[in-house]
Amino acid sequence: MTVDSREWRLIARPFGEPKPGDFELATVTLPEPGPGQVLVRNDWLSVDPYMRGRMNDVESYIPPFVLGEAMTGGAVGTVVASAADDVPVGTVVSHFYGWREYALLDGAAVQVVNAEIAPAQAYLGVLGTTGITAYAGLTEVAPVKEGDVVFISGAAGAVGSIAGQVAKRLGASKVIGSAGGPAKTARLLNEFGFDAAIDYREGDLVGQLAIAAPEGIDVYFDNVGGDHLDAALVAMNRYGRIALCGAISVYNDTELAPGPAHLPLAIGKRINLRGMNVSDHLHQAPEWIGQAAGWLADGSLRAEETVVDGIEQTLDAFTAMMSGANTGKMLVRLPHNG
């Protein structure tokens, strides 16, 4: 079987915030799978902050997108044609060929997922790198100890909303989250189990954090960078730990911003600031999935999703996620006829 598939391509490097003219939605025809290959109908696509860095032509831990070629990213789909004996038709798989309706790839490039223990799209979020990032950040990178006070920025996002719940399970005495607007901060308290919430749109992060944590904070999980990191440095207790996971506040900047003004505090406070990349922690995946699947099943772990429908909406979903329009994991669902 051959299929027509629409795919998103980057055709110009964005300067500042990405614009629609930097992308095109093209149609290609994919042939039948060759020996060892599978054809996957993508059912769910992931859009994530790290993708903004891949739009720049700079060296990083993951290669930049190639101009004029299909973009890539996490996806979950169903095998609709197979020439790989160990991945038969009907198998649900995850892979890295997102931003398109169908993917033709080697059987070795897909990972079979168990859609019986959780919905398939969970492997793009709570049971995928999103959940592993939260877990690794608070167990290996900036370990939470019993009684710690933990601060999480981007707390209503995909990683942050899971990280807050993980911190409580690890014994944190108080978990504080930062999010944008009263609706999101209310959800942190009422749905995700945070003990205190800060609305960063109100400003004065240092003052708000001092009120939320008069005893100081011991662990900071940083998804935002910028003023959030600076405020955390002020509030950190001696021997505090910081997991530098993301810095979404500066991803669209066209010039480097000055470093945190209060960084010298890290010296006297003996603070450990450690950058992290989930690829270094994939060995924790079986442990995390085993625990998290059970918590999802009994309802003690909440994994929120913001879903946008249609391949045409993938770019809009990405830009909305970058501006904080999502709660939990931002996903694109691809409806299919027949």
Side-chain angles (χ1 to χ4, degrees):
M1 63 180 293
T2 61
V3 296
D4 290 335
S5 175
R6 288 174 292 175
E7 61 185 30
W8 281 98
R9 299 171 178 173
L10 184 70
I11 58 174
R13 303 288 180 192
F15 183 76
E17 186 174 345
K19 305 177 296 296
D22 297 327
F23 307 84
E24 70 172 0
L25 184 60
T27 300
V28 297
T29 300
L30 299 178
E32 293 185 5
Q37 289 186 319
V38 293
L39 179 65
V40 180
R41 181 195 67 208
N42 285 336
D43 302 317
W44 296 89
L45 307 177
S46 176
V47 290
D48 304 280
Y50 79 87
M51 293 173 172
R52 177 60 186 88
R54 298 189 67 198
M55 296 174 190
N56 302 326
D57 189 14
V58 296
E59 185 176 349
S60 185
Y61 64 91
I62 187 170
F65 293 125
V66 178
L67 292 181
E69 294 187 7
M71 297 162 65
T72 56
V76 166
T78 305
V79 175
V80 293
S82 176
D85 293 339
D86 55 345
V87 192
V89 170
T91 305
V92 179
V93 298
S94 66
H95 58 84
F96 201 62
Y97 286 74
W99 289 86
R100 67 197 80 190
E101 292 177 299
Y102 289 83
L104 179 67
L105 60 166
D106 291 336
V110 304
Q111 182 175 2
V112 177
V113 302
N114 185 350
E116 295 183 0
I117 63 171
Q121 71 270 23
Y123 292 89
L124 295 177
V126 62
L127 297 186
T129 55
T130 297
I132 299 167
T133 298
Y135 187 64
L138 296 174
T139 57
E140 290 193 341
V141 180
V144 174
K145 301 174 183 176
E146 192 78 26
D148 277 346
V149 176
V150 178
F151 175 44
I152 298 168
S153 58
V159 173
S161 60
I162 300 299
Q165 297 173 79
V166 169
K168 294 292 284 188
R169 287 188 173 273
L170 293 173
S173 62
K174 178 185 288 187
V175 179
I176 304 157
S178 171
K184 282 191 175 182
T185 55
R187 295 190 72 177
L188 293 184
L189 299 173
N190 300 327
E191 299 178 24
F192 295 114
F194 284 72
D195 300 293
I198 291 172
D199 182 354
Y200 69 80
R201 294 178 183 172
E202 296 294 325
D204 187 19
L205 288 175
V206 172
Q208 289 197 68
L209 197 50
I211 294 171
E215 65 276 80
I217 61 175
D218 304 295
V219 172
Y220 172 46
F221 193 107
D222 188 19
N223 292 302
V224 174
D227 56 356
H228 281 75
L229 176 56
D230 199 51
L233 287 165
V234 175
M236 292 297 294
N237 291 324
R238 186 173 292 184
Y239 305 113
R241 287 88 66 202
I242 298 177
L244 300 172
C245 177
I248 196 170
S249 68
V250 301
Y251 287 168
N252 284 329
D253 286 0
T254 57
E255 296 181 359
L256 287 175
H262 291 97
L263 185 58
L265 290 176
I267 301 169
K269 294 183 178 184
R270 289 78 142 180
I271 297 170
N272 181 6
L273 298 90
R274 181 177 167 188
M276 69 170 295
N277 185 281
V278 69
S279 63
D280 297 332
H281 304 277
L282 296 180
H283 61 276
Q284 290 188 281
E287 175 186 337
W288 167 248
I289 292 173
Q291 295 180 91
W295 295 337
L296 286 172
D298 67 21
S300 62
L301 177 64
R302 174 146 190 155
E304 187 73 13
E305 298 168 351
T306 300
V307 177
V308 174
D309 284 308
I311 189 70
E312 307 91 343
Q313 305 302 320
T314 308
L315 180 58
D316 289 341
F318 172 78
T319 56
M321 177 272 305
M322 288 293 293
S323 64
N326 58 300
T327 297
K329 180 69 177 178
M330 177 66 88
L331 293 168
V332 179
R333 177 170 50 200
L334 302 186
H336 297 278
N337 296 323

